[in-house]
Amino acid sequence: MDRIWIPSYQPGVPADVDTLQYSSIPQMLEESFQRYSERPAFTNMGQTLSFAEIDARSRRFAAYLQHDLKLNKGDRIALMMPNILQYPIALFGALRAGLVVVSINPLYTSRELKHQLQDSGAKAMVIFANAAHTLEQVIDQTAVEHVIVTSIGDLLKFPKSLLVNLVLRHVKKMVPRWNIPRARSFRHALKARSEGEFRPIDITQADTAFLQYTGGTTGTAKGAVLSHGNMIANMVQARAWINPLVKEGHDIIITALPLYHIFSLTANCFVFSSIGALNVLITNPRDIPAFIKELGRWRFTAITGVNTLFNALLNNESFKTLDFSSLTLTLGGGMAVQKDVAERWQSVTGHALIEAYGLTETSPAALMNPMSLRNYNGYIGLPISSTLVDIRDDKNQSLALGETGEICIKGPQVMQGYWQRPEDTAEVTTEDGYFRTGDLGFMTERGFVKLVDRKKDMILVSGFNVYPNEIEDVVAAIPGVLECAAIGIPDAKSGEVPKLFVVRKDPALTPEAIIQHCRENLTSYKIPRQIEFRDDLPKTPVGKVLRRNLQ
């Protein structure tokens, strides 16, 4: 395949990277622990741990898993926590012990949790106390033998640790009563005199590192099998791409997206740890005033997020008073970045919001815009190093430049398949090894890809394709609109017509004003036929709007 995008790469970014420079994630971590031992690695709620401290604690936790819990290489361990210091310790410890990490959303209901535990066959689980009652309801229907429970404030210094846990439990009532007789505490795991020292495990790139479950917004959640090789490849690819904007051992990255999400896991946790950066863990990014207050404490150099997160920050006046002089990298992914949000971000911070594209199944990065981008360009980027992207039709035929079809990806970061689902794996894998993303887009002559929409979200009006993203981009530019989402609804005459859901910033905004704005910016068949005002929109925990729920 002719890689027409290579000439558009920023100078210094290679066409291909060495994906074999590390045999496993633990090998990469060991290098960082030694090289940056005295540097701060993770901070949360006023407590900071250095790389040396993370090294020691994760090693101790790995020994506990090996010797006390008798877990063996390949056993699955589920992690169900928000962004707190316990997360990287448990994560790194599990990987060092050769276990397969199953990332679980801490807001899951008992039904969702049961499915993921049953499907993965997890034998152990680290869970924060706020969700322990959910596990209690389903644990007897799973293979979980070992439960390690932690409270949010456990690793903070005394007396703050005690105060935080007491307030969450007794004042805010955020920790429902639970009873799991065989549960042990995370503190106990770190302090326990294990029966033996940590025993390094022989791990290769072919070994599985994660069962990373898809969101399940289009059906039952499936576990993407991500090997150490997949993850290492994507770390090396991303590191080569962002290299012009980062400085080894000096960066401070804001980690508001949850670490159980593949974007935050790979980009913030692994890539930035590999260059000695400090991760500022935000436990509750939905509390925007508290989030902004925390931002004010740091001369942060990088921040990752999704469109809704950036929009929420921009809609708070306090955000505009922050010092952005050290900021060099703002990376948006997880969902389409809207033009209005990107332009307002640049106006407020003085820095471009650079859009990237990826999926759980691609570890996640597949396309990124050059770091030299000065203004929002409306594209999700170029295929990153060692990655092929092809735009194909329903018959798996390559389309010409400029033609819209399904975005298909091939590269070392693409998953091994869906866990115990060979038919689902075959459905998304072409005969020549490309992963069919389910997203529609087109490629320009310079190799930039424009994301049009999700294939399943497309609205068909009298035979014409209407993409919700286009309608949402137009409506989001109205000053009185806070958020919006478009879907297709049945229509006897046209088959389908667009319906728009709007969260107002200005209570005086009327449907008529929105329709008039749409008439000025959209062809008639793309104009919403119905408008419904709502107090909020259904979203995933990372902020992606759930159009399926609106249906």
Side-chain angles (χ1 to χ4, degrees):
M1 182 180 198
D2 184 16
R3 297 192 284 177
I4 63 172
W5 48 84
I6 300 298
S8 298
Y9 276 15
Q10 185 171 342
V13 175
D16 295 287
V17 294
D18 178 12
T19 61
L20 301 177
Q21 59 184 276
Y22 301 109
S23 63
S24 66
I25 299 171
Q27 186 187 10
M28 181 276 290
L29 292 172
E30 294 281 354
E31 181 180 283
S32 294
F33 292 150
Q34 293 175 21
R35 181 177 296 179
Y36 309 112
S37 60
E38 302 306 314
R39 280 274 305 162
F42 290 88
T43 187
N44 177 242
M45 301 175 70
Q47 176 70 14
T48 301
L49 296 178
S50 68
F51 278 88
E53 289 171 314
I54 293 288
D55 177 18
R57 297 188 190 198
S58 63
R59 180 182 293 268
R60 197 176 308 143
F61 188 67
Y64 179 78
L65 297 173
Q66 290 178 326
H67 299 290
D68 294 58
L69 302 191
K70 310 298 183 187
L71 295 174
N72 299 309
K73 179 182 176 181
D75 286 340
R76 274 80 66 200
I77 181 171
L79 304 185
M80 188 175 182
M81 293 173 281
N83 288 1
I84 51 180
L85 292 172
Q86 294 89 312
Y87 207 115
I89 293 171
L91 173 67
F92 295 167
L95 291 171
R96 294 175 96 170
L99 306 186
V100 176
V101 174
V102 182
S103 305
I104 297 185
N105 177 351
L107 299 179
Y108 264 179
T109 63
S110 58
R111 179 190 63 81
E112 294 164 321
L113 176 59
K114 181 177 74 172
H115 164 71
Q116 199 159 323
L117 291 177
Q118 288 181 337
D119 190 70
S120 66
K123 293 179 66 175
M125 185 167 192
V126 182
I127 187 170
F128 80 133
N130 303 45
H133 70 290
T134 306
L135 175 61
E136 180 188 355
Q137 298 171 44
V138 301
I139 189 170
D140 290 339
Q141 303 170 59
T142 73
V144 174
E145 300 172 10
H146 310 288
V147 178
I148 302 168
V149 181
T150 187
S151 295
I152 285 180
D154 279 356
L155 294 191
L156 305 180
K157 289 182 179 179
F158 184 83
K160 187 173 183 178
S161 59
L162 178 63
L163 181 61
V164 167
N165 289 340
L166 285 175
V167 168
L168 290 177
R169 185 179 297 273
H170 300 293
V171 179
K172 294 189 176 182
K173 308 292 184 183
M174 293 177 66
V175 185
R177 290 183 178 276
W178 58 273
N179 180 30
I180 303 175
R182 58 183 181 270
R184 312 177 192 189
S185 76
F186 192 79
R187 282 175 170 171
H188 166 78
L190 292 184
K191 292 178 180 179
R193 289 183 175 273
S194 294
E195 297 174 13
E197 293 297 316
F198 164 62
R199 183 182 70 254
I201 299 294
D202 182 23
I203 304 171
T204 70
Q205 287 207 355
D207 290 319
T208 301
F210 290 92
L211 290 187
Q212 197 72 18
Y213 280 75
T214 60
T217 57
T218 56
T220 304
K222 301 183 288 289
V225 178
L226 301 179
S227 68
H228 282 264
N230 292 145
M231 298 295 289
I232 289 295
N234 210 224
M235 290 178 222
V236 175
Q237 290 168 317
R239 202 161 65 182
W241 204 263
I242 68 172
N243 189 55
L245 292 188
V246 298
K247 188 176 180 182
E248 229 176 302
H250 288 82
D251 279 282
I252 298 175
I253 184 165
I254 302 300
T255 302
L257 293 180
L259 290 175
Y260 66 80
H261 190 273
I262 189 64
F263 184 10
S264 185
L265 176 69
T266 301
N268 295 48
C269 189
F270 288 136
V271 174
F272 275 86
S273 288
S274 76
I275 59 171
L278 170 62
N279 265 273
V280 180
L281 301 179
I282 307 299
T283 304
N284 181 18
R286 295 181 179 182
D287 186 347
I288 295 297
F291 182 11
I292 293 174
K293 186 177 180 181
E294 183 67 18
L295 288 176
R297 296 190 176 103
W298 302 95
R299 292 179 63 83
F300 59 96
T301 61
I303 182 171
T304 58
V306 294
N307 187 81
T308 47
L309 177 70
F310 295 129
N311 188 41
L313 290 171
L314 290 166
N315 282 310
N316 188 295
E317 289 301 315
S318 298
F319 180 70
K320 300 172 185 177
T321 67
L322 297 177
D323 178 6
F324 301 105
S325 60
S326 297
L327 181 62
T328 58
L329 173 61
T330 303
L331 196 62
M335 63 185 295
V337 173
Q338 293 175 335
K339 180 181 179 182
D340 176 67
V341 171
E343 291 179 345
R344 284 192 291 134
W345 182 271
Q346 184 157 358
S347 175
V348 171
T349 69
H351 300 275
L353 200 171
I354 298 175
E355 189 167 8
Y357 171 85
L359 307 99
T360 299
E361 293 90 341
T362 58
S363 305
L367 299 105
M368 286 191 200
N369 275 292
M371 298 296 105
S372 55
L373 193 70
R374 292 289 174 262
N375 299 288
Y376 174 77
N377 63 3
Y379 294 94
I380 56 176
L382 305 161
I384 60 176
S385 306
S386 300
T387 301
L388 299 177
V389 171
D390 198 18
I391 308 299
R392 300 186 175 184
D393 62 19
D394 290 337
K395 296 180 181 178
N396 199 37
Q397 299 299 308
S398 297
L399 296 173
L401 296 175
E403 290 188 10
T404 297
E406 187 170 8
I407 300 170
C408 299
I409 300 167
K410 188 176 186 178
Q413 72 272 47
V414 176
M415 68 171 181
Q416 305 302 296
Y418 291 118
W419 175 251
Q420 298 180 334
R421 292 172 182 262
E423 292 182 0
D424 288 332
T425 301
E427 188 177 332
V428 298
T429 308
T430 66
E431 289 186 2
D432 54 348
Y434 279 79
F435 169 68
R436 302 189 70 109
T437 66
D439 285 324
L440 297 171
F442 62 85
M443 183 179 287
T444 71
E445 293 180 355
R446 294 184 57 207
F448 284 88
V449 175
K450 173 73 174 179
L451 179 66
V452 176
D453 225 313
R454 283 293 297 172
K455 193 173 181 179
K456 293 181 179 179
D457 286 343
M458 186 179 70
I459 306 166
L460 195 62
V461 181
S462 299
F464 292 98
N465 293 342
V466 177
Y467 302 107
N469 277 344
E470 183 182 10
I471 299 173
E472 292 162 7
D473 275 345
V474 167
V475 175
I478 300 173
V481 171
L482 181 65
E483 293 179 322
C484 61
I487 64 167
I489 58 173
D491 181 78
K493 192 173 183 180
S494 305
E496 283 187 307
V497 292
K499 175 176 179 177
L500 184 70
F501 295 85
V502 176
V503 178
R504 286 182 286 197
K505 188 178 352 179
D506 178 4
L509 181 67
T510 64
E512 291 75 20
I514 295 173
I515 294 296
Q516 181 57 38
H517 178 81
C518 289
R519 286 198 183 110
E520 295 169 2
N521 293 277
L522 294 168
T523 308
S524 59
Y525 65 84
K526 298 178 182 178
I527 297 171
R529 297 300 188 269
Q530 292 184 24
I531 293 177
E532 180 179 324
F533 291 120
R534 282 178 157 235
D535 293 331
D536 53 45
L537 298 176
K539 300 185 187 76
T540 67
V542 296
K544 183 185 292 186
V545 174
L546 293 169
R547 293 191 187 124
R548 184 182 179 88
N549 287 21
L550 292 172
Q551 294 282 4

